[in-house]
Amino acid sequence: MSDEAVRLDDVKFRWRSDAPPVLDIPSLSARAGERLFISGPSGSGKTTLLNLLAGISQPETGTVEIMGTDLSQLSGGGRDAFRADTIGFIFQMFNLLPFLSLAENVLLPCRFSSARRARAAAASGGAEAEARRLLTHMGLAAEVDAGRSAAELSTGQQQRVAAARALIGAPPVIIADEPTSALDANAQAAFLDLLTGEAARTGATVLFVSHDRRLESHFDRVIDLTAVNRAASDAERAA
Amino acid sequence: MRGAPILGLAVKSLANRRATALLTLLALAVSVMLVLGVEKLRNEAKASFAATISGTDLVVGARSGSIQLLLYSVFRIGNATNNISWQSYKEIAARPEVAWTVPLSLGDSHRGFRVLGTNGDYFRHYKYARKRPLTFAAGKPFDDLFDAVLGAEVARKLGYELGDPIVVAHGLGREGFSNHKDKPFRVAGILAKTGTPVDRTVHVSLEAIEAIHVDWRSGAPVPGMRVTADRVRQMTLTPRAITAFLVGTKSRFAGFALQRKINEYRAEPLLAVLPGVALQELWDLMGTAEAALAAISVAVVAAGLLGMMIMLLAGLNERRREMAILRSVGAGPRHLFGLLIAEAAVLSALGAAVGLCLFYAGLAAFRPLLDSRFGLFLEITAPTVHDLTILAAVVGAGMLAGAVPAFRAYRQSLADGMTIRI
Ligand SMILES: Nc1ncnc2c1ncn2[C@@H]1O[C@H](COP(=O)(O)OP(=O)(O)OP(=O)(O)O)[C@@H](O)[C@H]1O
Ligand SMILES: [Mg+2]
């Protein structure tokens, strides 16, 4: 139990009360430090699942536990604060705020979580130094020094800044929603190596969703969402 | 770690949208400048209005309305319907409770400025503001029959200096073809600036008024009758009538009693008013206009704030990605609500600050014009408590207006979750 970082039980979710459920998952879990690949076709509910894990959407029934905390036991504000402390999140694209510098983008979670700011500071002697270390590690030192803005980076570079942001302050869970779908094969591999390598260093659990099964090799375990989601199989049977 | 990070983001996000943000800010600043300007004008106009006459206990004229009497005798606006006979004036002036009187005779003009016939007591007893007497910037009171004493603005506008000759026009026509060209005056004195209608008045002696009219009857020169300036000096020039007179009494109580006696004067219908009371009546008359002006300036600020609300609302849709990113790093809907309120607060606070600067810049720029054109002297002073209250109210109302887009951002972030919709 205690080595489970993420656990879903009997989770049902629908976007509108008159719509059929998008997710109906009897059970799904990930061990602490595990790198889990969740695959599923477009529209199968991958992003919806991540919204539940991040505590932004609430399941109709069932429980979502992250690091031993039942999200339904938290208030709305409590879930937001818990997300800030616990989860690093990477979107498919457009991860960065254009009006912040690269380092400020990386430091965003520290604005909302003093725990992550403290951990980042402890790692490098200061949160700003840690942001700098992560960006350098992601191969972006030159871009930072040149004072580039988010809009002046390639898509792959933007995704690496987003990875640095997800990793800062060592959150125990990293969630990535198809972060490599806009990258070419070489860039995808490099990105995944950096992300999983840094996550392994802090012992973070990585939940990675994608419809691209070629990326499976970077992960410890693969779950097909359509296999664990009864709603999807219902929909398929109906189709 | 909660309020400050949002404020920093608000400033940077606004800076990122500076084109629209600056326009919104400018509209707000102009409206704030307008409100402050209107308030300043209102207060200064009222103050300068109340300062027009002071130390005079009664203003006496032929029976008419008290406001009309005040207008023509003190403000030199409009005309008297009737005169006061010299005899009645003499009788009242001789009463024991009267300390001093100043006779006033109006009717002629010089290049748009009123000519006032009076005597030396005018310069001794006429007081304005807080009992300030008239002082001379140059020269002295009239001495010779054809001496004139100019108000500060008359001298400045027309460029007159001591010793210059001036010709008085009959009646109030600007370049009247009927004038008293045959009897020119000489500038004997120029008064220091007062900020009252005295500045726009040409003062001559009562005898001079009489002298320039000896060969006139009912507003026109008598044909064939020509009395030269030299010959007129030999004549007895006691006035037959005056337009009004000011009275100083020996005690305040005596003033009330005298007012009653004059109003019941049997020889001719007269009216005596307490200048303070008449001034208040006149100001109240303008109260509606004053209130309308204030209402308009408030409406302008409301329009400015509405513009800001529209700008923030219109921006929300294209900021959905920004909102989703913020939610992913731990912001709650209430943070996004706070973000929008902070943006509204920053915009309206900057609007108020820039508006204050514009107000002072405008004040410095338009001061000479207001002074020369309307005789309204505006002092540049530090913002009053009233001004600061207005600025605070603008910021408060701005944050209130920000609640509308803030609430929409709150709802939108609940509906979108972390899904990025473009
Ligand atoms: N905010 C929302 N409101 C209503 N319905 C939604 C919302 N987001 C997603 N859905 C619906 O839920 C279903 C699952 O969508 P989801 O975005 O989770 O799919 P996905 O697996 O992430 O797809 P993709 O690979 O294209 O990103 C879809 O049928 C979609 O129409
Ligand atoms: Mg998706």
Side-chain angles (χ1 to χ4, degrees):
Chain A
M1 178 78 197
S2 62
D3 67 337
E4 276 182 343
V6 174
R7 174 166 194 90
L8 270 71
D9 280 304
D10 290 323
V11 165
K12 272 202 186 114
F13 179 84
R14 58 181 100 216
W15 280 105
R16 286 208 313 266
S17 52
D18 57 347
V22 177
L23 294 177
D24 179 359
I25 302 173
S27 169
L28 178 77
S29 65
R31 279 178 290 107
E34 189 175 24
R35 289 171 298 175
L36 185 61
F37 185 94
I38 303 167
S39 72
S42 177
S44 61
K46 300 186 297 294
T47 299
T48 306
L49 173 64
L50 298 186
N51 267 306
L52 288 177
L53 292 172
I56 282 177
S57 300
Q58 296 305 296
E60 194 176 292
T61 60
T63 55
V64 177
E65 262 180 42
I66 308 286
M67 303 306 293
T69 300
D70 181 352
L71 295 186
S72 66
Q73 299 300 307
L74 299 174
S75 67
R79 277 193 297 275
D80 293 324
F82 183 77
R83 176 171 67 256
D85 287 342
T86 319
I87 296 172
F89 205 100
I90 309 171
F91 290 105
Q92 185 169 4
M93 54 168 83
F94 307 125
N95 268 288
L96 307 183
L97 295 181
F99 50 86
L100 297 183
S101 71
L102 302 184
E104 284 170 333
N105 263 290
V106 172
L107 285 164
L108 264 181
C110 299
R111 283 178 185 257
F112 296 95
S113 165
S114 42
R116 278 175 78 175
R117 167 164 281 273
R119 283 200 296 267
S124 289
E128 286 71 19
E130 173 68 355
R132 167 85 203 187
R133 184 192 71 79
L134 282 165
L135 283 167
T136 307
H137 187 65
M138 296 287 159
L140 294 166
E143 281 69 21
V144 174
D145 291 340
R148 295 275 189 82
S149 77
E152 294 166 335
L153 296 185
S154 74
T155 313
Q157 288 170 329
Q158 288 183 33
Q159 292 304 83
R160 279 183 273 154
V161 177
R165 180 171 71 203
L167 289 163
I168 198 164
V173 178
I174 307 278
I175 296 177
D177 189 357
E178 307 201 54
T180 58
S181 62
L183 308 182
D184 64 44
N186 284 338
Q188 280 182 341
F191 177 83
L192 284 173
D193 284 340
L194 280 171
L195 181 67
T196 53
E198 192 64 24
R201 224 175 59 84
T202 63
T205 307
V206 178
L207 302 177
F208 187 99
V209 305
S210 177
H211 59 267
D212 186 354
R213 310 267 319 227
R214 288 174 303 167
L215 305 172
E216 281 175 17
S217 59
H218 292 269
F219 295 87
D220 300 331
R221 188 157 63 99
V222 177
I223 291 177
D224 184 352
L225 186 57
T226 47
V228 297
N229 180 13
R230 285 200 297 237
S233 33
D234 288 351
E236 260 157 36
R237 250 175 265 130
Chain B
M1 281 307 291
R2 280 285 181 252
I6 286 295
L7 187 64
L9 287 178
V11 171
K12 285 180 171 152
S13 180
L14 278 177
N16 188 45
R17 288 171 284 148
R18 57 185 147 288
T20 46
L22 274 180
L23 283 178
T24 306
L25 190 110
L26 198 69
L28 211 54
V30 168
S31 73
V32 167
M33 173 193 77
L34 208 73
V35 168
L36 293 177
V38 165
E39 281 306 298
K40 177 88 177 169
L41 276 179
R42 240 153 54 106
N43 292 335
E44 295 285 329
K46 186 163 189 175
S48 110
F49 185 81
T52 309
I53 186 166
S54 129
T56 293
D57 296 306
L58 290 174
V59 178
V60 184
R63 188 161 299 161
S64 59
S66 58
I67 290 177
Q68 196 197 351
L69 171 57
L70 190 75
L71 279 177
Y72 69 71
S73 64
V74 175
F75 288 93
R76 322 263 144 88
I77 295 171
N79 289 307
T81 39
N82 255 311
N83 285 336
I84 304 173
S85 72
W86 184 249
Q87 199 189 341
S88 300
Y89 163 63
K90 277 306 204 193
E91 261 179 49
I92 293 167
R95 293 189 68 90
E97 60 267 47
V98 172
W100 53 264
T101 60
V102 174
L104 306 172
S105 183
L106 291 149
D108 288 339
S109 68
H110 174 69
R111 295 178 66 182
F113 295 103
R114 292 293 181 103
V115 172
L116 171 70
T118 182
N119 62 25
D121 289 340
Y122 182 85
F123 305 106
R124 273 187 289 281
H125 297 301
Y126 187 88
K127 303 255 165 52
Y128 67 100
R130 294 212 176 89
K131 302 209 171 164
R132 282 172 64 180
L134 299 175
T135 53
F136 278 80
K140 50 182 181 42
F142 29 73
D143 185 18
D144 183 70
L145 180 62
F146 290 114
D147 274 355
V149 170
L150 307 185
E153 202 182 317
V154 182
R156 197 184 57 79
K157 259 239 174 93
L158 303 180
Y160 286 145
E161 282 167 28
L162 290 184
D164 285 350
I166 66 172
V167 169
V168 171
H170 188 80
L172 306 173
R174 217 171 169 75
E175 289 300 315
F177 55 88
S178 62
N179 60 36
H180 304 285
K181 191 158 55 206
D182 56 332
K183 301 182 184 73
F185 284 78
R186 191 186 61 88
V187 178
I190 295 171
L191 293 170
K193 191 171 170 55
T194 63
T196 72
V198 171
D199 294 348
R200 296 188 295 279
T201 305
V202 176
H203 307 85
V204 301
S205 67
L206 282 176
E207 290 76 23
I209 295 279
E210 201 55 33
I212 56 179
H213 291 110
V214 284
D215 43 9
W216 287 52
R217 285 293 175 271
S218 38
V222 179
M225 179 171 170
R226 274 266 160 270
V227 184
T228 62
D230 284 334
R231 260 201 54 209
V232 86
R233 286 176 190 280
Q234 265 74 70
M235 299 168 69
T236 334
L237 294 167
T238 311
R240 280 156 294 193
I242 56 173
T243 316
F245 61 95
L246 310 177
V247 180
T249 53
K250 285 177 181 153
S251 74
R252 215 185 166 72
F253 181 75
F256 292 118
L258 184 63
Q259 183 188 21
R260 203 170 331 111
K261 274 182 201 129
I262 294 174
N263 287 337
E264 291 161 4
Y265 196 68
R266 255 169 284 108
E268 63 182 307
L270 295 181
L271 174 70
V273 299
L274 302 163
V277 174
L279 275 173
Q280 188 59 49
E281 268 178 53
L282 185 54
W283 187 257
D284 289 347
L285 209 63
M286 299 192 276
T288 347
E290 196 197 357
L293 204 61
I296 288 169
S297 57
V298 166
V300 171
V301 170
L305 290 175
L306 204 65
M308 178 185 78
M309 194 160 103
I310 290 166
M311 173 224 156
L312 290 177
L313 270 176
L316 281 186
N317 209 24
E318 56 202 55
R319 293 174 70 195
R320 291 187 144 181
R321 187 202 313 165
E322 185 182 330
M323 304 288 173
I325 292 167
L326 288 173
R327 290 222 65 189
S328 80
V329 297
R334 72 209 161 86
H335 287 110
L336 302 185
F337 185 90
L339 178 69
L340 268 289
I341 294 282
E343 288 178 9
V346 167
L347 277 175
S348 40
L350 283 177
V354 174
L356 187 67
C357 295
L358 286 180
F359 163 68
Y360 277 113
L363 189 59
F366 286 103
R367 224 155 62 107
L369 186 78
L370 284 172
D371 189 15
S372 63
R373 287 283 282 279
F374 305 105
L376 197 59
F377 181 74
L378 301 180
E379 243 178 302
I380 297 186
T381 49
T384 61
V385 175
H386 184 62
D387 292 340
L388 296 179
T389 313
I390 289 174
L391 295 179
V394 168
V395 177
M399 289 172 73
L400 220 58
V404 175
F407 188 64
R408 265 200 76 133
Y410 181 93
R411 294 282 307 273
Q412 188 172 291
S413 85
L414 281 178
D416 286 1
M418 245 165 20
T419 323
I420 293 183
R421 299 181 185 283
I422 302 163

